[in-house]
């Protein structure tokens, strides 16, 4: 079945460092791909999405490109801030998985001042 | 505009009891989905409803049930609670039943089973 694998955390960075969180997926067909962010004590917020191969999703300085050839959707940000500290989830929806969203296990990010 | 709302915020139950969680989608949204998020893990899909019909069900036992009302709000029921049911239960709504539509998540209901 469809699945998402993302790098284990926690990831600890200093402010203004470059961020990469790796995400790969397994799916039959071509799903839509998402990154969600969860701040402490809150629900999930959509950070960005891409619905077809080579699409680049971007929001708030974060970017991710839908790579069909490597089945990846890595999250990047050029300069992280303390306020970016949160848990980040890679997810997919569609293809043969129907309309449910399948999430990775999440990667916790700590940014130090 | 109000986002997805869920009630209650927190709930403490004992093993064997039953619980009902409630969700109100964003106005105009007709699709509601439920997810269970165990501490330290990603959310797991439980149910999806669209136009009051069940459109999908995850790998959860029959103790879990749900329904959607004519106003598109939804309830998730869990019977015979087990310790392992302790989790954050998230409701998400979307405009229509499409893989391309963004799902908007509520803040969740944190259920603790003692």
């Amino acid at each position: 079945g469809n699945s998402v694998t993302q790098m284990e955390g926690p990831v600890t960075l200093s402010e203004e460092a470059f961020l990469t969180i790796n995400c790969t997926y397994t799916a039959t067909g071509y799903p839509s791909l998402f990154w969600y962010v969860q701040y402490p004590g809150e629900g999930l917020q959509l950070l960005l999405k891409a619905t077809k191969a080579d699409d680049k999703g971007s929001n708030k300085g974060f970017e991710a490109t839908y790579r069909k050839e490597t089945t990846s959707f890595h999250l990047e940000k050029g300069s992280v801030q303390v306020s970016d500290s949160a848990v980040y989830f890679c997810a997919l929806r569609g293809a043969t998985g129907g309309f449910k969203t399948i999430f990775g296990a999440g990667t916790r990010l700590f940014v130090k001042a | 505009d109000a986002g997805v709302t869920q009630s209650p915020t927190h709930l403490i139950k004992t093993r064997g009891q039953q619980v009902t969680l409630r969700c109100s989608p964003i106005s105009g949204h007709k699709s509601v989905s439920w997810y269970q998020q165990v501490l330290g893990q990603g959310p797991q899909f439980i149910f999806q409803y669209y136009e009051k019909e069940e459109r999908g069900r995850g790998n959860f036992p029959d103790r879990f049930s749900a329904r959607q009302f004519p106003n598109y709000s939804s309830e998730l029921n869990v019977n015979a609670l087990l310790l392992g049911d302790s989790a954050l239960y998230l409701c998400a709504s979307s405009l229509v039943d499409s893989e391309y539509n963004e799902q908007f998540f509520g803040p969740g209901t944190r259920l603790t089973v003692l």
Side-chain angles (χ1 to χ4, degrees):
Chain A
N2 295 350
S3 66
V4 174
T5 303
Q6 58 184 108
M7 63 187 286
E8 287 189 26
V11 174
T12 303
L13 296 173
S14 297
E15 208 165 23
E16 299 184 3
F18 185 86
L19 169 70
T20 299
I21 299 178
N22 290 335
C23 170
T24 58
Y25 67 90
T26 300
T28 304
Y30 304 105
S32 295
L33 301 175
F34 305 84
W35 276 100
Y36 285 86
V37 59
Q38 187 173 38
Y39 297 100
E42 298 184 12
L44 299 174
Q45 299 176 26
L46 178 67
L47 185 57
L48 52 84
K49 70 176 183 181
T51 59
K52 62 182 187 296
D54 300 325
D55 265 3
K56 177 186 282 188
S58 61
N59 186 27
K60 300 180 181 179
F62 291 89
E63 294 183 340
T65 301
Y66 191 141
R67 300 288 188 198
K68 185 179 67 172
E69 62 276 11
T70 55
T71 61
S72 65
F73 193 53
H74 304 321
L75 182 68
E76 296 181 336
K77 187 176 185 183
S79 177
V80 294
Q81 305 300 313
V82 172
S83 58
D84 294 327
S85 298
V87 181
Y88 293 82
F89 292 94
C90 184
L92 68 81
R93 181 147 46 104
T96 59
F99 300 140
K100 66 183 178 185
T101 303
I102 296 172
F103 291 87
T107 303
R108 183 173 295 278
L109 170 66
F110 291 106
V111 181
K112 302 179 298 184
Chain B
D1 284 344
V4 177
T5 59
Q6 294 186 242
S7 62
T9 305
H10 295 88
L11 205 51
I12 299 176
K13 293 285 188 178
T14 57
R15 281 178 296 174
Q17 286 190 309
Q18 176 265 341
V19 68
T20 298
L21 311 180
R22 295 176 176 82
C23 170
S24 292
I26 291 172
S27 178
H29 284 197
K30 299 180 179 180
S31 178
V32 170
S33 298
W34 287 95
Y35 294 82
Q36 180 196 64
Q37 186 180 15
V38 173
L39 194 63
Q41 298 181 20
Q44 298 291 317
F45 172 76
I46 310 176
F47 284 109
Q48 188 208 0
Y49 278 79
Y50 179 68
E51 291 278 18
K52 302 179 287 296
E53 290 189 3
E54 182 182 305
R55 288 298 189 95
R57 183 187 182 112
N59 189 23
F60 281 80
D62 292 343
R63 299 183 297 106
F64 289 77
S65 63
R67 55 181 174 169
Q68 188 177 32
F69 298 99
N71 66 354
Y72 303 110
S73 67
S74 178
E75 286 183 351
L76 175 70
N77 295 284
V78 187
N79 293 323
L81 285 166
L82 303 174
L83 295 180
D85 295 331
S86 295
L88 180 67
Y89 288 84
L90 296 165
C91 174
S93 76
S94 61
L95 193 59
V96 294
D97 199 14
S98 166
E99 69 180 71
Y100 302 112
N101 276 130
E102 176 183 351
Q103 287 188 313
F104 294 82
F105 284 81
T109 293
R110 184 161 299 282
L111 171 66
T112 302
V113 182
L114 302 176

